């Protein structure tokens, strides 16, 4: 039985909320300095807001199947389960549902996209093959009691955006400089060894008690942005539909390219070198084509 960490229970500061900031402000104040922010008004005028409900997904995509922890569910079943979910018997939490593959026509529901002309995953200079395997847009379905309780850092040095389109979701975030208290797994350092992190066993993981992080309840309609390298986990208080997006811009581009290169080199060293060289050239071209950050 673990001892509840006071850090997880109380006293964690909230994430800063900003209303209607410009892309330039977002880049300058949060993306480049590596700080998280909640963008309160971003989704207000998106077609998705008010449209992405359990009824909508049941009616239009009910037949689509998706695997969660080795079990296949239809979207219709998932929608029933997230609404019937309880703390004792939580609905399966489905994540990594790729919008580009499963619901491509829904992408237009999230426009205007965050980062605008600084978004490299949408830059036409980048050949599709170079970014194959990177999920750019995804949807998460969850219910009361469901969670992603494993503290982790997102893959490939990508920044993350999550927008709550139905219901709320609670986030716990720890900055990269707290990594010494996160107990990264030796075999997979992007995941923490701290299990049951909402009530961690501080006898086993004493340094976790020193970690200083943030806690926020992301409300329906709100968007959180957090930069690469931030540890996070989530908890869901009721039926929830979230939109998730991976963000790549000039700042995290070199690390992204290197990560991707490491993935390729497991298959073929020659291919990896060629792809890295192509990626490097594309990066230089994108540097030239992107607007400078506005000063104000
Ligand atoms: Fe994540």
């Amino acid at each position: 039985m673990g001892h509840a960490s006071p850090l997880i229970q109380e006293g964690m500061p909230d994430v800063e909320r900003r209303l209607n900031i410009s892309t330039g402000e977002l880049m300058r104040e949060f993306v480049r300095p590596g700080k998280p922010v909640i963008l309160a008004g971003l989704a207000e005028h998106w077609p998705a807001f008010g449209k992405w409900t359990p009824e909508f997904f049941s009616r239009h995509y009910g037949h689509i199947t998706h695997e969660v922890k080795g079990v296949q569910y239809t979207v219709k079943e998932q929608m029933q389960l997230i609404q019937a979910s309880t703390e004792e018997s939580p609905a399966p939490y489905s994540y990594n549902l790729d919008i580009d593959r499963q619901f491509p026509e829904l992408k237009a529901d999230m426009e205007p996209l965050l980062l605008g002309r600084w978004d490299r995953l949408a830059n036409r200079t980048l050949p599709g093959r170079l970014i194959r395997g990177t999920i750019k847009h995804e949807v998460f379905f969850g219910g009361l009691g469901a969670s992603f309780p494993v503290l982790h850092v997102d893959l490939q040095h990508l920044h993350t955006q999550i927008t709550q389109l139905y219901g709320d979701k609670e986030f716990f975030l720890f900055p990269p400089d707290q990594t010494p208290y996160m107990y990264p797994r030796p075999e997979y350092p992007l995941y923490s060894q701290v299990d049951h992190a909402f009530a961690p066993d501080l006898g086993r993981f004493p340094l976790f008690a020193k970690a200083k992080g943030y806690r926020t309840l992301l409300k329906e309609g709100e968007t959180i942005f957090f930069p690469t390298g931030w540890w996070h986990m989530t908890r869901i208080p009721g039926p929830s539909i979230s939109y998730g997006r991976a963000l790549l811009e000039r700042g995290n581009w070199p690390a992204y390219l290197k990560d991707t290169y490491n993935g390729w080199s497991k298959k073929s060293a020659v291919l990896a070198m060629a792809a890295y060289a192509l990626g490097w050239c594309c990066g230089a071209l994108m540097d030239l084509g992107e607007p400078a950050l506005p000063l104000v």
Side-chain angles (χ1 to χ4, degrees):
M1 185 65 202
H3 308 282
S5 161
L7 291 169
I8 294 298
Q9 301 304 323
E10 58 191 286
M12 294 173 85
D14 204 339
V15 177
E16 184 177 349
R17 275 178 168 73
R18 295 287 289 269
L19 184 65
N20 299 332
I21 60 172
S22 69
T23 308
E25 285 172 307
L26 174 69
M27 289 291 283
R28 243 186 356 263
E29 293 180 40
F30 299 98
V31 179
R32 290 290 159 78
K35 284 164 61 183
V37 63
I38 291 173
L39 304 166
L42 179 79
E44 217 167 72
H45 302 294
W46 285 1
F49 191 47
K51 171 180 165 185
W52 284 30
T53 61
E55 296 72 34
F56 170 77
F57 278 98
S58 286
R59 189 171 327 125
H60 297 282
Y61 300 100
H63 59 286
I64 287 179
T65 55
H66 182 63
E67 187 181 302
V68 186
K69 289 188 177 165
V71 182
Q72 290 284 342
Y73 298 94
T74 64
V75 166
K76 190 169 188 176
E77 286 168 334
Q78 276 247 290
M79 294 303 106
Q80 287 161 352
L81 288 166
I82 66 170
Q83 292 180 93
S85 188
T86 61
E87 290 279 6
E88 298 72 36
S89 173
Y93 182 33
S94 100
Y95 50 93
N96 285 351
L97 249 168
D98 187 349
I99 293 179
D100 282 307
R101 274 184 47 219
Q102 307 277 33
F103 321 101
E105 60 282 3
L106 293 186
K107 250 169 41 181
D109 284 358
M110 275 76 65
E111 288 179 2
L113 286 175
L114 202 60
L115 292 198
R117 288 177 295 168
W118 289 286
D119 169 25
R120 292 201 164 183
L121 286 176
N123 193 313
R124 298 227 170 121
T125 308
L126 264 190
R129 281 170 177 234
L130 272 186
I131 52 173
R132 198 164 52 189
T134 299
I135 296 184
K136 294 181 273 185
H137 308 267
E138 59 188 303
V139 58
F140 304 78
F141 300 130
L144 173 64
S147 64
F148 198 89
V150 183
L151 270 164
H152 67 283
V153 171
D154 285 340
L155 288 170
Q156 293 177 294
H157 289 88
L158 291 158
H159 307 310
T160 301
Q161 168 196 342
I162 306 280
T163 300
Q164 277 308 108
L165 290 167
Y166 187 85
D168 306 336
K169 186 181 270 185
E170 191 176 23
F171 282 78
F172 296 83
L173 299 163
F174 297 89
D177 66 4
Q178 301 298 294
T179 302
Y181 312 131
M182 294 289 117
Y183 294 88
R185 295 183 190 179
E187 75 290 2
Y188 193 60
L190 296 180
Y191 271 64
S192 167
Q193 299 174 66
V194 181
D195 44 8
H196 310 294
F198 295 113
D201 182 345
L202 295 179
R204 268 179 75 204
F205 305 110
L207 293 176
F208 189 61
K210 295 184 179 214
K212 289 195 166 45
Y214 298 81
R215 173 185 187 171
T216 196
L217 184 66
L218 192 68
K219 302 254 180 62
E220 186 174 283
E222 289 186 328
T223 295
I224 189 167
F225 163 83
F226 55 90
T228 176
W230 279 65
W231 294 87
H232 56 281
M233 61 181 176
T234 57
R235 192 151 69 172
I236 304 171
S240 160
I241 299 176
S242 322
Y243 163 67
R245 178 161 171 241
L247 294 164
L248 179 62
E249 45 83 38
R250 192 186 296 204
N252 57 341
W253 166 257
Y256 171 83
L257 188 60
K258 205 163 161 233
D259 251 14
T260 313
Y261 168 79
N262 289 337
W264 289 320
S265 59
K266 287 179 193 139
K267 292 178 191 154
S268 154
V270 176
L271 198 72
M273 284 296 279
Y276 187 83
L278 176 63
W280 193 90
C281 293
C282 291
L285 276 176
M286 289 188 291
D287 284 353
L288 288 174
E290 272 163 19
L293 281 181
L295 293 173
V296 286

